[in-house]
Amino acid sequence: MKNIKTRWILIGVVILALVAGVWRAMSNKRAQEAAAAAPVAVQTQIELANSDVMSAQLRDITQGLAVSGTVKAVNYAVIKARVAGELKEVVAREGDAVQAGDVLARIDPTEYQRRWLQAAETASAAKSQMEIAQRAWDSNKALVDQGFISKAAMDNSVASYQGAMASHKAAIAGADVARKALDDATLRAPFAGIVSGRAAQVGERVAIDAKIMELVDLSQLEVEVPLSPSESMDVRIGQIASLQVEDRPQTVGAKVKRISPSAQTGSRSVLIYLALDKAEGLRHGLFAKGILGMGKSQALAVPLSSVRTDRAQPYVQVVEQVGDQLQVAHKTVTLGVRGMDLAQPESETMVGVTGLAQGSTVLKSNVGALREGILVKYTAKAAASAASALP
């Protein structure tokens, strides 16, 4: 009887343990369901600076051709050796400003001085021989008139004089060539400019046409732009362009100055040349890119980067006044013409839009995607301008 009672006590303990385990499991499940049903904490307000927004306004959009090319000096020269010899002196170095005719470098002139002296002496000897032949001709001419010598002797005298005169002229020409070689041993600047590079050192022996240095004139710069034959057919002299040089934020105005009449062999590209409005601070060889204006139209425009395409229809994010609060709203837009507003300093591509009110405050692309309805708070500096930008 005692064993039966103990058995029932054990069974009761097991049942209580099972009931406690089931109750604990159900409690944990209800806690998990409650946690899942609780609202997720989301950002309800964002702070914007004045640089994060812009006002949608009517703009003159220049629709153009994307171009890129190299800034080049109109006057650019590679100074080469015209005679061979040892480079004795380099007067101008990189960055030096020189005037037309200034001495840049000198090649050892000793050999060419000797050659010129030799040619000059040869010319002097030829002149003496010509004078002797001339006196003989004058004497024989008087004798033939008196009948003392034959006509044949007179003809020989004339031929000797003519040969001596030709030899004298040839000697003078040879002396001129030798003199020019001597002058060529001194390298001079062909125009006013700045030395941009040097390729030879003092003491080095250089050959004819060896590169010594480079000279550029930065007062006149232009951009050489290669275009495909089809693109070049719509380009006209006088068309304006807006260029960005080496990713600088400021743009530089330019105008088509010249158009090559033929395509380049091999690449088949047609070169056009753009004269820069302001060349201050620019250098020969820099890279430039931009838009060559082909047409202009007025449209309500926003930066192309501000248009979001992560939905079926493109839209822009704007800031709207809802009661006493500012909120983010999504406005579906239809895209129109694309181009650049050349009147503005920024070089960003603009796009015309419809479906947006003029003066709307548009969020720029750097803000990123925001949930519609999120509250907006401006920084202290941006508050005043943002309030005036709202419709």
Side-chain angles (χ1 to χ4, degrees), residues 314-350:
Y315 69 95
V316 294
Q317 301 179 126
V318 299
V319 177
E320 289 186 337
Q321 184 82 40
V322 179
D324 297 333
Q325 296 177 328
L326 297 175
Q327 294 183 359
V328 173
H330 295 172
K331 296 292 184 180
T332 301
V333 294
T334 302
L335 305 184
V337 297
R338 300 185 184 187
M340 295 180 63
D341 183 3
L342 301 184
Q344 299 297 322
E346 71 270 7
S347 59
E348 189 172 4
T349 301
M350 308 296 290

Side-chain angles (χ1 to χ4, degrees), residues 33-83:
E33 291 177 348
V40 179
V42 296
Q43 185 180 12
T44 59
Q45 188 178 59
I46 185 172
E47 186 173 289
L48 299 177
N50 194 40
S51 59
D52 296 328
V53 296
M54 66 161 295
S55 179
Q57 300 292 341
L58 287 174
R59 295 174 180 260
D60 291 327
I61 302 300
T62 300
Q63 305 168 55
L65 179 67
V67 294
S68 62
T70 305
V71 177
K72 291 189 174 182
V74 175
N75 293 324
Y76 165 77
V78 177
I79 309 300
K80 296 183 178 181
R82 296 182 178 179
V83 294

Side-chain angles (χ1 to χ4, degrees), residues 71-76 215-222 284-285:
V71 177
K72 291 189 174 182
V74 175
N75 293 324
Y76 165 77
L215 184 66
V216 296
D217 178 11
L218 297 181
S219 64
Q220 299 182 69
L221 295 178
E222 61 185 11
H284 176 83

